[in-house]
Amino acid sequence: MSQPSNNLNFVHNLLSQMTLAEKIGQMTQPEKNSVKPGDIAKYSLGSVLSGGGGNPTENNPRNWREMVLGFIEEAKQSRLKIPLIYGVDAVHGHNNMHGATIFPHNIGLGATRDVDLVRRIGRATALEVAATGVRWDFAPAVSIPYDIRWGRSFEGYSQDTALVSELAAAYIEGLRGENWNSPSSVLPSVKHFVADGATTFGSSRRISGDPNALQNDATLANAHVDAGMQALLSQGAWQLDQGNSEIDEETLRTVHLPPYQKAIEAGALNIMTSYSSWNGVKMHGHSYLVNDVLKGEMGFEGFIVTDWEGIDQIDADYYTCVVKSINAGIDMVMVPFKYERFIETLSKAVENGDVPLSRIDDAVTRILKTKHALGLFDEQEIPDLSVVGSRAHREVAREAVRKSQVLLKNEGVFPFSKTQKVLLAGSAANDLGAQCGGWTISWMGSHGQITEGTNILEAFRATVANPELIQYSEDGLSTETFDVGVVVIAEEPAAEGMGDRFELKLTQAHLDVIANARKSCKKLAVLLLSGRPYVITDHLPEWDAFVASWLPGSEGQGVADVVFGDFPFTGKLSFYWPYSQQDLKLAQESKHLFKLGDGLTTRVPVTL
Ligand code: GLC
């Protein structure tokens, strides 16, 4: 997107006044808990972020707004008063914040194939984010998951490149709204560049267990000793995420690059580099792909931000990490903790001539152009907090939930009548956290009533003529018999490499609750809350119906809408569904139980 000349004149004029220290300050993004009072002005820091779960002590919209505006106000005390931009991961709504509308994760949005809906979700998300003073959203992920053992599969819209490109562009347009300099427009960060979803199983080195290998990795430095982490590692955590994408250039260009081209055409002004490597070279230091391909060939005029401590993985020597990443085309560094060390190291690298001043000027020009395009240098009226969790936004989320439900088997089960008794089984039916998944209130997500929303049990009871028609049984056992029953089972909430798994199979607890409910129900449906397909081949014959519900978010009413026939099932798989544990990688030779595009529909009963 070419910038109006007044933008460039303004930026060049400002740049000419800046010291090297102020320029490097603009390239620095610490996490909010690390930045010391006065340092934003002292260093002219360009940005501050909240990581996953980076909430104010009391997590509510008012405190979020107060926290963020506090950082923004501090920047006005700097010598040149260059505005600070605050960033968050609003990957399915303003999801760290209690009370925000939580939309379905991307894998569910892919199943809707509804471009207009995704644009409306982007707009609603932008309003709730901007109402808290935040103008940068580290989304959309345009990942194309190849091996669905990857814990981040749910952040991908699809395994189909064209669908990812289309939905990502729509989300970007939604975040932008009328124009970038509107106070309710939010800067997207298209991520993670590039081929983050193509890594080879077992190639990740993030948790090597070797304390020396983690010297620059403050986030997971003790991972190899933490008991909780050991349990996750035994299930396969950190086998794939941040690993090595061993693909040829043609595959990279035809499968993984197109969504970035589409995003640039949609006006994207920020892209985040991936922790992963391409054929052994870390993306955070990949000059060919960042400088030559993305900024050169594809003409990207915005700025590149790293991932969280992303440059630290390039080399054991931090000076080398800084020099290689900035010379590779990185413009802003997400350095959550040791931001003074980064500033000192980059200053030294410039003084030594290892990083040319022209590279610094290019990076800062890109950052300032983007801030100017967003209108940050002007006084802007921030949207009112009343938009947060509004009825209108929750209705958009409910529509998305409806349209994301994929019905894969239905032998005389759906839609239910609203006057019949129903057995609803499984703890996940009464667990808002399970239906939201990772990146919700906390980084990993968690169980229970973690925010405002409607769980499936509440939704079912709100839909039928008499709430007592819905009998809830956590373990599936009942002394009564039922014409129909639904068992809701869920994947454990997780984020990033914490969610990598050796295999994708139902747990014994899942199978037990299904077996218990089976005894009381003439017709039994299973509803799976998960961030990816699971191998169900051997179990499906015992079920009369099956719904892939994905991670629907706060508006469980959308599930009831299709189960009870107020709306038809319309969702279509945007991922392949594996036949066995040997088929978890998308490849022509893999065997699929269901293929991309599968999904049954139902008729809405005619009410006379
Ligand atoms: C995380 C994720 C990235 C996120 C960033 C900031 O490690 O990889 O998707 O935007 O850090 O939270």
Side-chain angles (χ1 to χ4, degrees), residues 451-467:
T451 186
E452 291 166 27
T454 307
N455 67 38
I456 291 169
L457 171 59
E458 291 163 338
F460 276 33
R461 285 184 168 159
T463 303
V464 297
N466 171 358

Side-chain angles (χ1 to χ4, degrees), residues 452-501:
E452 291 166 27
T454 307
N455 67 38
I456 291 169
L457 171 59
E458 291 163 338
F460 276 33
R461 285 184 168 159
T463 303
V464 297
N466 171 358
E468 286 170 17
L469 287 170
I470 307 295
Q471 187 180 100
Y472 172 61
S473 164
E474 186 169 307
D475 62 7
L477 291 172
S478 174
T479 54
E480 297 179 47
T481 58
F482 300 81
D483 290 337
V484 291
V486 177
V487 179
V488 181
I489 56 176
E491 178 183 49
E492 268 305 297
E496 303 191 42
M498 299 293 199
D500 291 354
R501 291 291 179 271

